[in-house]
Amino acid sequence: MRSSNPALKGASFLDLHSGTIVRGRSDVMSLNGTVNKTGMLLLLCVLTASFAWSQVSTPAGIVGAQPYMWGGLIGGLVLAMVTIFKKEWAPVTAPLYALVEGFFLGAISAMFNHMYEGIVMQAVLLTFGTLFALLFAYRSGLVKATENFKLGVVAATGGVFLVYMASMVLGFFGINIPMIHESGLLGIGFSLVVVVIAALNLVLDFDFIETGVEQGAPKYMEWYGAFGLMVTLVWLYIEFLRLLSKLQSR
């Protein structure tokens, strides 16, 4: 239960055959290496997001946002699953995931910005502000990833996942879960809770990466750790967009 992020869990450092910790010999995971690779993934994501944004940011282009959005979403999901089950492929699949996810983020950001101008910049600032604030809190010891903390975040994340899955399945039958997706007080409160849960997952991700460095994980785990951290950042950014859109629609 190192992290509720499926890409970042304690078993990722285990050899699936022997159940023992996999340690690199001379080429091992480092904190600086993971930070650098996280920056590379973010840069790749921004490049494709900027391209998608430029294609659909006008009112006429919004109509053509669907291919970028759904293509990026489905492609990102496939690459994420491949990366999770084939961690040693992360040096290749993680950059591909960042590129594909950028198309999704660029398209959906343009759509939100068309409805509520300026919302994207607010969401970006809140996302990275949260990242650096929690990183400071974690490194300074203000926030510690204790076992009870991990258990609580894992349980809360599982609850959010079940609500979203139920909402999606019921949506196929024309049934909507009332209020939580609306701009009323309950909907805003729900989004606030989800934002907090997504943010707390960053703490677990920091702990996961630090554990990998301490245990001498193989070098490719730098890419895997960066990929997992980016999964959480994407989730957090989308939740900030949803929250801000509810606030502005009032």
PDB file of all heavy atoms in Angstrom, residues 114-154:
ATOM      1  N   HIS A 114     -12.860  27.431 -23.511  1.00  0.00           N
ATOM      2  CA  HIS A 114     -13.892  28.035 -24.360  1.00  0.00           C
ATOM      3  C   HIS A 114     -15.132  28.385 -23.539  1.00  0.00           C
ATOM      4  O   HIS A 114     -15.774  29.410 -23.770  1.00  0.00           O
ATOM      5  CB  HIS A 114     -14.254  27.072 -25.494  1.00  0.00           C
ATOM      6  CG  HIS A 114     -15.363  27.567 -26.371  1.00  0.00           C
ATOM      7  ND1 HIS A 114     -15.241  28.680 -27.173  1.00  0.00           N
ATOM      8  CD2 HIS A 114     -16.629  27.100 -26.557  1.00  0.00           C
ATOM      9  CE1 HIS A 114     -16.377  28.881 -27.829  1.00  0.00           C
ATOM     10  NE2 HIS A 114     -17.242  27.940 -27.471  1.00  0.00           N
ATOM     11  N   MET A 115     -15.457  27.528 -22.575  1.00  0.00           N
ATOM     12  CA  MET A 115     -16.627  27.775 -21.727  1.00  0.00           C
ATOM     13  C   MET A 115     -16.330  28.784 -20.629  1.00  0.00           C
ATOM     14  O   MET A 115     -17.159  29.625 -20.295  1.00  0.00           O
ATOM     15  CB  MET A 115     -17.102  26.452 -21.118  1.00  0.00           C
ATOM     16  CG  MET A 115     -17.648  25.458 -22.128  1.00  0.00           C
ATOM     17  SD  MET A 115     -18.317  23.964 -21.342  1.00  0.00           S
ATOM     18  CE  MET A 115     -16.797  23.186 -20.758  1.00  0.00           C
ATOM     19  N   TYR A 116     -15.123  28.700 -20.057  1.00  0.00           N
ATOM     20  CA  TYR A 116     -14.752  29.581 -18.941  1.00  0.00           C
ATOM     21  C   TYR A 116     -13.340  30.102 -19.202  1.00  0.00           C
ATOM     22  O   TYR A 116     -12.352  29.459 -18.853  1.00  0.00           O
ATOM     23  CB  TYR A 116     -14.797  28.824 -17.609  1.00  0.00           C
ATOM     24  CG  TYR A 116     -16.070  28.050 -17.380  1.00  0.00           C
ATOM     25  CD1 TYR A 116     -16.107  26.662 -17.570  1.00  0.00           C
ATOM     26  CD2 TYR A 116     -17.233  28.697 -16.977  1.00  0.00           C
ATOM     27  CE1 TYR A 116     -17.279  25.950 -17.358  1.00  0.00           C
ATOM     28  CE2 TYR A 116     -18.406  27.983 -16.765  1.00  0.00           C
ATOM     29  CZ  TYR A 116     -18.416  26.615 -16.966  1.00  0.00           C
ATOM     30  OH  TYR A 116     -19.589  25.920 -16.763  1.00  0.00           O
ATOM     31  N   GLU A 117     -13.240  31.256 -19.806  1.00  0.00           N
ATOM     32  CA  GLU A 117     -11.941  31.791 -20.206  1.00  0.00           C
ATOM     33  C   GLU A 117     -11.039  32.028 -18.994  1.00  0.00           C
ATOM     34  O   GLU A 117     -11.469  32.574 -17.979  1.00  0.00           O
ATOM     35  CB  GLU A 117     -12.129  33.102 -20.960  1.00  0.00           C
ATOM     36  CG  GLU A 117     -10.849  33.628 -21.585  1.00  0.00           C
ATOM     37  CD  GLU A 117     -11.088  34.857 -22.441  1.00  0.00           C
ATOM     38  OE1 GLU A 117     -12.271  35.226 -22.634  1.00  0.00           O
ATOM     39  OE2 GLU A 117     -10.100  35.428 -22.927  1.00  0.00           O
ATOM     40  N   GLY A 118      -9.803  31.564 -19.104  1.00  0.00           N
ATOM     41  CA  GLY A 118      -8.826  31.730 -18.037  1.00  0.00           C
ATOM     42  C   GLY A 118      -8.762  30.582 -17.058  1.00  0.00           C
ATOM     43  O   GLY A 118      -7.868  30.527 -16.199  1.00  0.00           O
ATOM     44  N   ILE A 119      -9.681  29.621 -17.185  1.00  0.00           N
ATOM     45  CA  ILE A 119      -9.750  28.535 -16.209  1.00  0.00           C
ATOM     46  C   ILE A 119      -8.536  27.611 -16.296  1.00  0.00           C
ATOM     47  O   ILE A 119      -8.098  27.055 -15.285  1.00  0.00           O
ATOM     48  CB  ILE A 119     -11.058  27.724 -16.409  1.00  0.00           C
ATOM     49  CG1 ILE A 119     -11.289  26.793 -15.214  1.00  0.00           C
ATOM     50  CG2 ILE A 119     -11.037  26.946 -17.709  1.00  0.00           C
ATOM     51  CD1 ILE A 119     -12.605  26.045 -15.297  1.00  0.00           C
ATOM     52  N   VAL A 120      -7.984  27.461 -17.496  1.00  0.00           N
ATOM     53  CA  VAL A 120      -6.861  26.532 -17.678  1.00  0.00           C
ATOM     54  C   VAL A 120      -5.629  27.007 -16.923  1.00  0.00           C
ATOM     55  O   VAL A 120      -4.974  26.220 -16.232  1.00  0.00           O
ATOM     56  CB  VAL A 120      -6.556  26.351 -19.176  1.00  0.00           C
ATOM     57  CG1 VAL A 120      -5.254  25.577 -19.371  1.00  0.00           C
ATOM     58  CG2 VAL A 120      -7.699  25.621 -19.858  1.00  0.00           C
ATOM     59  N   MET A 121      -5.295  28.290 -17.047  1.00  0.00           N
ATOM     60  CA  MET A 121      -4.135  28.821 -16.341  1.00  0.00           C
ATOM     61  C   MET A 121      -4.308  28.690 -14.827  1.00  0.00           C
ATOM     62  O   MET A 121      -3.364  28.356 -14.101  1.00  0.00           O
ATOM     63  CB  MET A 121      -3.890  30.275 -16.727  1.00  0.00           C
ATOM     64  CG  MET A 121      -2.658  30.890 -16.070  1.00  0.00           C
ATOM     65  SD  MET A 121      -1.143  29.937 -16.405  1.00  0.00           S
ATOM     66  CE  MET A 121      -0.997  30.169 -18.178  1.00  0.00           C
ATOM     67  N   GLN A 122      -5.515  28.922 -14.351  1.00  0.00           N
ATOM     68  CA  GLN A 122      -5.791  28.756 -12.918  1.00  0.00           C
ATOM     69  C   GLN A 122      -5.558  27.312 -12.486  1.00  0.00           C
ATOM     70  O   GLN A 122      -4.952  27.051 -11.443  1.00  0.00           O
ATOM     71  CB  GLN A 122      -7.228  29.169 -12.617  1.00  0.00           C
ATOM     72  CG  GLN A 122      -7.528  30.644 -12.844  1.00  0.00           C
ATOM     73  CD  GLN A 122      -9.009  30.952 -12.700  1.00  0.00           C
ATOM     74  OE1 GLN A 122      -9.762  30.195 -12.092  1.00  0.00           O
ATOM     75  NE2 GLN A 122      -9.446  32.071 -13.267  1.00  0.00           N
ATOM     76  N   ALA A 123      -6.034  26.353 -13.291  1.00  0.00           N
ATOM     77  CA  ALA A 123      -5.880  24.935 -12.953  1.00  0.00           C
ATOM     78  C   ALA A 123      -4.413  24.514 -12.972  1.00  0.00           C
ATOM     79  O   ALA A 123      -3.963  23.752 -12.121  1.00  0.00           O
ATOM     80  CB  ALA A 123      -6.697  24.074 -13.911  1.00  0.00           C
ATOM     81  N   VAL A 124      -3.660  25.033 -13.955  1.00  0.00           N
ATOM     82  CA  VAL A 124      -2.229  24.712 -14.045  1.00  0.00           C
ATOM     83  C   VAL A 124      -1.488  25.236 -12.815  1.00  0.00           C
ATOM     84  O   VAL A 124      -0.681  24.517 -12.200  1.00  0.00           O
ATOM     85  CB  VAL A 124      -1.621  25.300 -15.334  1.00  0.00           C
ATOM     86  CG1 VAL A 124      -0.095  25.206 -15.301  1.00  0.00           C
ATOM     87  CG2 VAL A 124      -2.167  24.570 -16.554  1.00  0.00           C
ATOM     88  N   LEU A 125      -1.749  26.484 -12.450  1.00  0.00           N
ATOM     89  CA  LEU A 125      -1.084  27.074 -11.287  1.00  0.00           C
ATOM     90  C   LEU A 125      -1.446  26.336 -10.005  1.00  0.00           C
ATOM     91  O   LEU A 125      -0.578  26.094  -9.156  1.00  0.00           O
ATOM     92  CB  LEU A 125      -1.463  28.553 -11.171  1.00  0.00           C
ATOM     93  CG  LEU A 125      -0.924  29.476 -12.270  1.00  0.00           C
ATOM     94  CD1 LEU A 125      -1.468  30.884 -12.099  1.00  0.00           C
ATOM     95  CD2 LEU A 125       0.604  29.484 -12.273  1.00  0.00           C
ATOM     96  N   LEU A 126      -2.702  25.960  -9.859  1.00  0.00           N
ATOM     97  CA  LEU A 126      -3.123  25.219  -8.664  1.00  0.00           C
ATOM     98  C   LEU A 126      -2.484  23.836  -8.615  1.00  0.00           C
ATOM     99  O   LEU A 126      -2.078  23.367  -7.542  1.00  0.00           O
ATOM    100  CB  LEU A 126      -4.642  25.095  -8.642  1.00  0.00           C
ATOM    101  CG  LEU A 126      -5.418  26.368  -8.261  1.00  0.00           C
ATOM    102  CD1 LEU A 126      -6.901  26.179  -8.513  1.00  0.00           C
ATOM    103  CD2 LEU A 126      -5.162  26.719  -6.799  1.00  0.00           C
ATOM    104  N   THR A 127      -2.376  23.189  -9.773  1.00  0.00           N
ATOM    105  CA  THR A 127      -1.785  21.846  -9.818  1.00  0.00           C
ATOM    106  C   THR A 127      -0.326  21.871  -9.396  1.00  0.00           C
ATOM    107  O   THR A 127       0.107  21.102  -8.518  1.00  0.00           O
ATOM    108  CB  THR A 127      -1.909  21.250 -11.227  1.00  0.00           C
ATOM    109  OG1 THR A 127      -3.294  21.150 -11.578  1.00  0.00           O
ATOM    110  CG2 THR A 127      -1.277  19.868 -11.288  1.00  0.00           C
ATOM    111  N   PHE A 128       0.456  22.758  -9.991  1.00  0.00           N
ATOM    112  CA  PHE A 128       1.882  22.797  -9.661  1.00  0.00           C
ATOM    113  C   PHE A 128       2.126  23.447  -8.300  1.00  0.00           C
ATOM    114  O   PHE A 128       3.091  23.089  -7.613  1.00  0.00           O
ATOM    115  CB  PHE A 128       2.655  23.517 -10.765  1.00  0.00           C
ATOM    116  CG  PHE A 128       2.854  22.671 -11.980  1.00  0.00           C
ATOM    117  CD1 PHE A 128       2.010  22.799 -13.075  1.00  0.00           C
ATOM    118  CD2 PHE A 128       3.858  21.727 -12.034  1.00  0.00           C
ATOM    119  CE1 PHE A 128       2.176  22.007 -14.203  1.00  0.00           C
ATOM    120  CE2 PHE A 128       4.037  20.925 -13.149  1.00  0.00           C
ATOM    121  CZ  PHE A 128       3.191  21.063 -14.239  1.00  0.00           C
ATOM    122  N   GLY A 129       1.252  24.359  -7.905  1.00  0.00           N
ATOM    123  CA  GLY A 129       1.365  24.896  -6.554  1.00  0.00           C
ATOM    124  C   GLY A 129       1.157  23.819  -5.513  1.00  0.00           C
ATOM    125  O   GLY A 129       1.881  23.744  -4.504  1.00  0.00           O
ATOM    126  N   THR A 130       0.173  22.961  -5.755  1.00  0.00           N
ATOM    127  CA  THR A 130      -0.089  21.832  -4.847  1.00  0.00           C
ATOM    128  C   THR A 130       1.076  20.862  -4.835  1.00  0.00           C
ATOM    129  O   THR A 130       1.491  20.371  -3.782  1.00  0.00           O
ATOM    130  CB  THR A 130      -1.373  21.099  -5.272  1.00  0.00           C
ATOM    131  OG1 THR A 130      -2.472  22.023  -5.267  1.00  0.00           O
ATOM    132  CG2 THR A 130      -1.672  19.946  -4.324  1.00  0.00           C
ATOM    133  N   LEU A 131       1.625  20.585  -6.021  1.00  0.00           N
ATOM    134  CA  LEU A 131       2.768  19.676  -6.121  1.00  0.00           C
ATOM    135  C   LEU A 131       3.939  20.167  -5.278  1.00  0.00           C
ATOM    136  O   LEU A 131       4.481  19.413  -4.457  1.00  0.00           O
ATOM    137  CB  LEU A 131       3.193  19.547  -7.589  1.00  0.00           C
ATOM    138  CG  LEU A 131       4.528  18.834  -7.849  1.00  0.00           C
ATOM    139  CD1 LEU A 131       4.440  17.371  -7.456  1.00  0.00           C
ATOM    140  CD2 LEU A 131       4.930  18.977  -9.320  1.00  0.00           C
ATOM    141  N   PHE A 132       4.329  21.414  -5.448  1.00  0.00           N
ATOM    142  CA  PHE A 132       5.502  21.933  -4.738  1.00  0.00           C
ATOM    143  C   PHE A 132       5.222  22.119  -3.248  1.00  0.00           C
ATOM    144  O   PHE A 132       6.118  21.922  -2.419  1.00  0.00           O
ATOM    145  CB  PHE A 132       5.967  23.240  -5.371  1.00  0.00           C
ATOM    146  CG  PHE A 132       6.551  23.068  -6.741  1.00  0.00           C
ATOM    147  CD1 PHE A 132       6.000  23.719  -7.836  1.00  0.00           C
ATOM    148  CD2 PHE A 132       7.637  22.233  -6.942  1.00  0.00           C
ATOM    149  CE1 PHE A 132       6.525  23.556  -9.104  1.00  0.00           C
ATOM    150  CE2 PHE A 132       8.180  22.056  -8.214  1.00  0.00           C
ATOM    151  CZ  PHE A 132       7.617  22.725  -9.300  1.00  0.00           C
ATOM    152  N   ALA A 133       3.987  22.482  -2.899  1.00  0.00           N
ATOM    153  CA  ALA A 133       3.646  22.630  -1.483  1.00  0.00           C
ATOM    154  C   ALA A 133       3.727  21.293  -0.758  1.00  0.00           C
ATOM    155  O   ALA A 133       4.285  21.199   0.348  1.00  0.00           O
ATOM    156  CB  ALA A 133       2.245  23.227  -1.338  1.00  0.00           C
ATOM    157  N   LEU A 134       3.186  20.248  -1.370  1.00  0.00           N
ATOM    158  CA  LEU A 134       3.220  18.930  -0.737  1.00  0.00           C
ATOM    159  C   LEU A 134       4.622  18.335  -0.759  1.00  0.00           C
ATOM    160  O   LEU A 134       5.008  17.611   0.166  1.00  0.00           O
ATOM    161  CB  LEU A 134       2.233  17.991  -1.422  1.00  0.00           C
ATOM    162  CG  LEU A 134       0.767  18.238  -1.072  1.00  0.00           C
ATOM    163  CD1 LEU A 134      -0.149  17.318  -1.856  1.00  0.00           C
ATOM    164  CD2 LEU A 134       0.533  18.038   0.428  1.00  0.00           C
ATOM    165  N   LEU A 135       5.392  18.626  -1.807  1.00  0.00           N
ATOM    166  CA  LEU A 135       6.784  18.167  -1.834  1.00  0.00           C
ATOM    167  C   LEU A 135       7.570  18.799  -0.697  1.00  0.00           C
ATOM    168  O   LEU A 135       8.347  18.124  -0.009  1.00  0.00           O
ATOM    169  CB  LEU A 135       7.422  18.503  -3.181  1.00  0.00           C
ATOM    170  CG  LEU A 135       8.890  18.095  -3.350  1.00  0.00           C
ATOM    171  CD1 LEU A 135       9.065  16.599  -3.177  1.00  0.00           C
ATOM    172  CD2 LEU A 135       9.413  18.554  -4.711  1.00  0.00           C
ATOM    173  N   PHE A 136       7.367  20.101  -0.468  1.00  0.00           N
ATOM    174  CA  PHE A 136       8.033  20.785   0.646  1.00  0.00           C
ATOM    175  C   PHE A 136       7.587  20.195   1.980  1.00  0.00           C
ATOM    176  O   PHE A 136       8.414  19.946   2.873  1.00  0.00           O
ATOM    177  CB  PHE A 136       7.722  22.278   0.602  1.00  0.00           C
ATOM    178  CG  PHE A 136       8.216  23.039   1.801  1.00  0.00           C
ATOM    179  CD1 PHE A 136       9.556  23.390   1.912  1.00  0.00           C
ATOM    180  CD2 PHE A 136       7.358  23.381   2.838  1.00  0.00           C
ATOM    181  CE1 PHE A 136      10.028  24.075   3.029  1.00  0.00           C
ATOM    182  CE2 PHE A 136       7.806  24.068   3.949  1.00  0.00           C
ATOM    183  CZ  PHE A 136       9.146  24.414   4.049  1.00  0.00           C
ATOM    184  N   ALA A 137       6.283  19.968   2.120  1.00  0.00           N
ATOM    185  CA  ALA A 137       5.761  19.414   3.370  1.00  0.00           C
ATOM    186  C   ALA A 137       6.309  18.018   3.618  1.00  0.00           C
ATOM    187  O   ALA A 137       6.635  17.649   4.764  1.00  0.00           O
ATOM    188  CB  ALA A 137       4.234  19.391   3.334  1.00  0.00           C
ATOM    189  N   TYR A 138       6.451  17.232   2.557  1.00  0.00           N
ATOM    190  CA  TYR A 138       6.966  15.860   2.700  1.00  0.00           C
ATOM    191  C   TYR A 138       8.448  15.867   3.045  1.00  0.00           C
ATOM    192  O   TYR A 138       8.888  15.161   3.953  1.00  0.00           O
ATOM    193  CB  TYR A 138       6.731  15.085   1.405  1.00  0.00           C
ATOM    194  CG  TYR A 138       7.288  13.691   1.414  1.00  0.00           C
ATOM    195  CD1 TYR A 138       6.655  12.672   2.112  1.00  0.00           C
ATOM    196  CD2 TYR A 138       8.472  13.388   0.736  1.00  0.00           C
ATOM    197  CE1 TYR A 138       7.176  11.384   2.123  1.00  0.00           C
ATOM    198  CE2 TYR A 138       9.000  12.114   0.746  1.00  0.00           C
ATOM    199  CZ  TYR A 138       8.347  11.108   1.441  1.00  0.00           C
ATOM    200  OH  TYR A 138       8.880   9.831   1.464  1.00  0.00           O
ATOM    201  N   ARG A 139       9.226  16.678   2.341  1.00  0.00           N
ATOM    202  CA  ARG A 139      10.666  16.707   2.572  1.00  0.00           C
ATOM    203  C   ARG A 139      11.017  17.309   3.927  1.00  0.00           C
ATOM    204  O   ARG A 139      12.024  16.932   4.535  1.00  0.00           O
ATOM    205  CB  ARG A 139      11.367  17.509   1.470  1.00  0.00           C
ATOM    206  CG  ARG A 139      11.224  16.918   0.081  1.00  0.00           C
ATOM    207  CD  ARG A 139      11.823  15.553  -0.046  1.00  0.00           C
ATOM    208  NE  ARG A 139      13.277  15.579   0.120  1.00  0.00           N
ATOM    209  CZ  ARG A 139      14.052  14.502   0.150  1.00  0.00           C
ATOM    210  NH1 ARG A 139      13.504  13.299   0.068  1.00  0.00           N
ATOM    211  NH2 ARG A 139      15.342  14.610   0.304  1.00  0.00           N
ATOM    212  N   SER A 140      10.182  18.213   4.420  1.00  0.00           N
ATOM    213  CA  SER A 140      10.436  18.844   5.713  1.00  0.00           C
ATOM    214  C   SER A 140       9.900  18.022   6.881  1.00  0.00           C
ATOM    215  O   SER A 140      10.161  18.358   8.036  1.00  0.00           O
ATOM    216  CB  SER A 140       9.819  20.245   5.745  1.00  0.00           C
ATOM    217  OG  SER A 140       8.412  20.181   5.621  1.00  0.00           O
ATOM    218  N   GLY A 141       9.154  16.972   6.583  1.00  0.00           N
ATOM    219  CA  GLY A 141       8.619  16.116   7.635  1.00  0.00           C
ATOM    220  C   GLY A 141       7.279  16.565   8.192  1.00  0.00           C
ATOM    221  O   GLY A 141       6.763  15.953   9.132  1.00  0.00           O
ATOM    222  N   LEU A 142       6.706  17.627   7.621  1.00  0.00           N
ATOM    223  CA  LEU A 142       5.397  18.087   8.093  1.00  0.00           C
ATOM    224  C   LEU A 142       4.312  17.072   7.781  1.00  0.00           C
ATOM    225  O   LEU A 142       3.339  16.937   8.517  1.00  0.00           O
ATOM    226  CB  LEU A 142       5.051  19.440   7.447  1.00  0.00           C
ATOM    227  CG  LEU A 142       5.931  20.627   7.841  1.00  0.00           C
ATOM    228  CD1 LEU A 142       5.536  21.860   7.032  1.00  0.00           C
ATOM    229  CD2 LEU A 142       5.800  20.911   9.339  1.00  0.00           C
ATOM    230  N   VAL A 143       4.476  16.353   6.681  1.00  0.00           N
ATOM    231  CA  VAL A 143       3.552  15.302   6.280  1.00  0.00           C
ATOM    232  C   VAL A 143       4.342  14.009   6.150  1.00  0.00           C
ATOM    233  O   VAL A 143       5.368  13.980   5.453  1.00  0.00           O
ATOM    234  CB  VAL A 143       2.857  15.631   4.946  1.00  0.00           C
ATOM    235  CG1 VAL A 143       1.965  14.476   4.507  1.00  0.00           C
ATOM    236  CG2 VAL A 143       2.044  16.913   5.070  1.00  0.00           C
ATOM    237  N   LYS A 144       3.881  12.963   6.805  1.00  0.00           N
ATOM    238  CA  LYS A 144       4.573  11.682   6.764  1.00  0.00           C
ATOM    239  C   LYS A 144       3.632  10.602   6.260  1.00  0.00           C
ATOM    240  O   LYS A 144       2.460  10.553   6.644  1.00  0.00           O
ATOM    241  CB  LYS A 144       5.097  11.312   8.159  1.00  0.00           C
ATOM    242  CG  LYS A 144       6.152  12.279   8.695  1.00  0.00           C
ATOM    243  CD  LYS A 144       6.658  11.845  10.055  1.00  0.00           C
ATOM    244  CE  LYS A 144       7.719  12.817  10.581  1.00  0.00           C
ATOM    245  NZ  LYS A 144       8.225  12.415  11.925  1.00  0.00           N
ATOM    246  N   ALA A 145       4.166   9.752   5.405  1.00  0.00           N
ATOM    247  CA  ALA A 145       3.364   8.675   4.830  1.00  0.00           C
ATOM    248  C   ALA A 145       3.365   7.475   5.771  1.00  0.00           C
ATOM    249  O   ALA A 145       3.973   6.441   5.501  1.00  0.00           O
ATOM    250  CB  ALA A 145       3.906   8.289   3.455  1.00  0.00           C
ATOM    251  N   THR A 146       2.660   7.600   6.897  1.00  0.00           N
ATOM    252  CA  THR A 146       2.536   6.495   7.836  1.00  0.00           C
ATOM    253  C   THR A 146       1.599   5.433   7.270  1.00  0.00           C
ATOM    254  O   THR A 146       0.867   5.677   6.297  1.00  0.00           O
ATOM    255  CB  THR A 146       1.995   6.991   9.179  1.00  0.00           C
ATOM    256  OG1 THR A 146       0.656   7.497   8.979  1.00  0.00           O
ATOM    257  CG2 THR A 146       2.867   8.112   9.737  1.00  0.00           C
ATOM    258  N   GLU A 147       1.580   4.276   7.888  1.00  0.00           N
ATOM    259  CA  GLU A 147       0.725   3.201   7.398  1.00  0.00           C
ATOM    260  C   GLU A 147      -0.750   3.585   7.472  1.00  0.00           C
ATOM    261  O   GLU A 147      -1.529   3.264   6.571  1.00  0.00           O
ATOM    262  CB  GLU A 147       0.991   1.910   8.189  1.00  0.00           C
ATOM    263  CG  GLU A 147       2.370   1.316   7.943  1.00  0.00           C
ATOM    264  CD  GLU A 147       2.635   1.057   6.467  1.00  0.00           C
ATOM    265  OE1 GLU A 147       1.734   0.548   5.774  1.00  0.00           O
ATOM    266  OE2 GLU A 147       3.742   1.384   6.000  1.00  0.00           O
ATOM    267  N   ASN A 148      -1.161   4.250   8.546  1.00  0.00           N
ATOM    268  CA  ASN A 148      -2.551   4.682   8.661  1.00  0.00           C
ATOM    269  C   ASN A 148      -2.893   5.729   7.604  1.00  0.00           C
ATOM    270  O   ASN A 148      -4.000   5.735   7.057  1.00  0.00           O
ATOM    271  CB  ASN A 148      -2.819   5.244  10.061  1.00  0.00           C
ATOM    272  CG  ASN A 148      -2.861   4.175  11.124  1.00  0.00           C
ATOM    273  OD1 ASN A 148      -3.142   3.012  10.826  1.00  0.00           O
ATOM    274  ND2 ASN A 148      -2.579   4.542  12.364  1.00  0.00           N
ATOM    275  N   PHE A 149      -1.941   6.625   7.336  1.00  0.00           N
ATOM    276  CA  PHE A 149      -2.132   7.631   6.298  1.00  0.00           C
ATOM    277  C   PHE A 149      -2.330   6.958   4.949  1.00  0.00           C
ATOM    278  O   PHE A 149      -3.246   7.297   4.179  1.00  0.00           O
ATOM    279  CB  PHE A 149      -0.928   8.562   6.264  1.00  0.00           C
ATOM    280  CG  PHE A 149      -0.988   9.639   5.219  1.00  0.00           C
ATOM    281  CD1 PHE A 149      -1.584  10.861   5.491  1.00  0.00           C
ATOM    282  CD2 PHE A 149      -0.439   9.427   3.958  1.00  0.00           C
ATOM    283  CE1 PHE A 149      -1.637  11.855   4.528  1.00  0.00           C
ATOM    284  CE2 PHE A 149      -0.500  10.421   2.990  1.00  0.00           C
ATOM    285  CZ  PHE A 149      -1.097  11.637   3.279  1.00  0.00           C
ATOM    286  N   LYS A 150      -1.474   5.993   4.645  1.00  0.00           N
ATOM    287  CA  LYS A 150      -1.570   5.278   3.377  1.00  0.00           C
ATOM    288  C   LYS A 150      -2.900   4.550   3.262  1.00  0.00           C
ATOM    289  O   LYS A 150      -3.563   4.595   2.214  1.00  0.00           O
ATOM    290  CB  LYS A 150      -0.422   4.274   3.245  1.00  0.00           C
ATOM    291  CG  LYS A 150       0.957   4.902   3.212  1.00  0.00           C
ATOM    292  CD  LYS A 150       2.009   3.813   3.281  1.00  0.00           C
ATOM    293  CE  LYS A 150       3.383   4.411   3.548  1.00  0.00           C
ATOM    294  NZ  LYS A 150       4.399   3.363   3.754  1.00  0.00           N
ATOM    295  N   LEU A 151      -3.295   3.882   4.344  1.00  0.00           N
ATOM    296  CA  LEU A 151      -4.549   3.131   4.327  1.00  0.00           C
ATOM    297  C   LEU A 151      -5.731   4.048   4.073  1.00  0.00           C
ATOM    298  O   LEU A 151      -6.633   3.725   3.294  1.00  0.00           O
ATOM    299  CB  LEU A 151      -4.728   2.391   5.664  1.00  0.00           C
ATOM    300  CG  LEU A 151      -5.990   1.537   5.797  1.00  0.00           C
ATOM    301  CD1 LEU A 151      -6.006   0.431   4.751  1.00  0.00           C
ATOM    302  CD2 LEU A 151      -6.074   0.931   7.198  1.00  0.00           C
ATOM    303  N   GLY A 152      -5.731   5.215   4.712  1.00  0.00           N
ATOM    304  CA  GLY A 152      -6.824   6.155   4.531  1.00  0.00           C
ATOM    305  C   GLY A 152      -6.904   6.684   3.113  1.00  0.00           C
ATOM    306  O   GLY A 152      -7.996   6.771   2.534  1.00  0.00           O
ATOM    307  N   VAL A 153      -5.758   7.037   2.523  1.00  0.00           N
ATOM    308  CA  VAL A 153      -5.750   7.567   1.166  1.00  0.00           C
ATOM    309  C   VAL A 153      -6.142   6.490   0.160  1.00  0.00           C
ATOM    310  O   VAL A 153      -6.887   6.756  -0.794  1.00  0.00           O
ATOM    311  CB  VAL A 153      -4.366   8.157   0.819  1.00  0.00           C
ATOM    312  CG1 VAL A 153      -4.319   8.607  -0.636  1.00  0.00           C
ATOM    313  CG2 VAL A 153      -4.048   9.328   1.731  1.00  0.00           C
ATOM    314  N   VAL A 154      -5.658   5.276   0.374  1.00  0.00           N
ATOM    315  CA  VAL A 154      -6.011   4.170  -0.524  1.00  0.00           C
ATOM    316  C   VAL A 154      -7.517   3.923  -0.490  1.00  0.00           C
ATOM    317  O   VAL A 154      -8.169   3.766  -1.531  1.00  0.00           O
ATOM    318  CB  VAL A 154      -5.249   2.889  -0.137  1.00  0.00           C
ATOM    319  CG1 VAL A 154      -5.821   1.681  -0.874  1.00  0.00           C
ATOM    320  CG2 VAL A 154      -3.767   3.039  -0.447  1.00  0.00           C
TER     321      VAL A 154
END
